[in-house]
Amino acid sequence: MCLAIPARLVDYVDGERQYGTVELGGVRRRVNTSLLVGDDTTEPGEHVLVHVGFALSRVSEEEAKETLRILEQMGPAYEDEMQQIRQWQAVEEELVGADYRTRTDTRP
């Protein structure tokens, strides 16, 4: 199952604001932020919904907290999703380096 999970936007990693770093479940991930335009324009510190590597839209902090509360009640499905996120981070770090999320050059 793939869920859209609320995450806090930590920063943008490029001047065009096409990629950013988000924090979800204690894991920082680099995501595509090109969809965050218009009403969904987001600044670091605000929350977004993340799905398959894309920040889809901005959400309020209250909505993010409530969504996370509901997802946590799903038990195994939510835990499985979070485990997959942690595993992907480990694979990503092994393949391209731990500093990948903070580099503007995406080549290993």
Side-chain angles (χ1 to χ4, degrees):
M1 176 188 301
C2 288
L3 306 171
I5 298 177
R8 184 178 58 84
L9 179 66
V10 176
D11 61 11
Y12 286 99
V13 298
D14 65 334
E16 293 82 32
R17 294 169 62 126
Q18 297 294 303
Y19 292 93
T21 302
V22 296
E23 183 174 12
L24 62 140
V27 175
R28 287 193 175 196
R29 297 269 331 263
R30 183 175 174 155
V31 297
N32 185 301
T33 53
S34 63
L35 298 174
L36 300 178
V37 297
D39 290 342
D40 288 321
T41 299
T42 306
E43 297 302 322
E46 294 181 317
H47 292 81
V48 295
L49 283 179
V50 175
H51 180 63
V52 295
F54 286 84
L56 301 176
S57 64
R58 179 171 46 100
V59 294
S60 69
E61 183 175 1
E62 295 77 28
E63 186 177 356
K65 286 179 181 178
E66 179 65 10
T67 302
L68 284 172
R69 185 188 67 75
I70 291 167
L71 290 172
E72 288 170 357
Q73 289 179 344
M74 293 175 65
Y78 175 73
E79 289 302 319
D80 181 55
E81 188 73 14
M82 293 307 298
Q83 182 60 29
Q84 288 179 38
I85 290 168
R86 290 182 192 99
Q87 287 173 342
W88 175 248
Q89 180 184 21
V91 168
E92 182 180 79
E93 288 178 0
E94 183 178 326
L95 292 175
V96 295
D99 66 340
Y100 172 70
R101 286 170 296 287
T102 59
R103 290 192 327 239
T104 56
D105 176 11
T106 58
R107 291 171 286 165

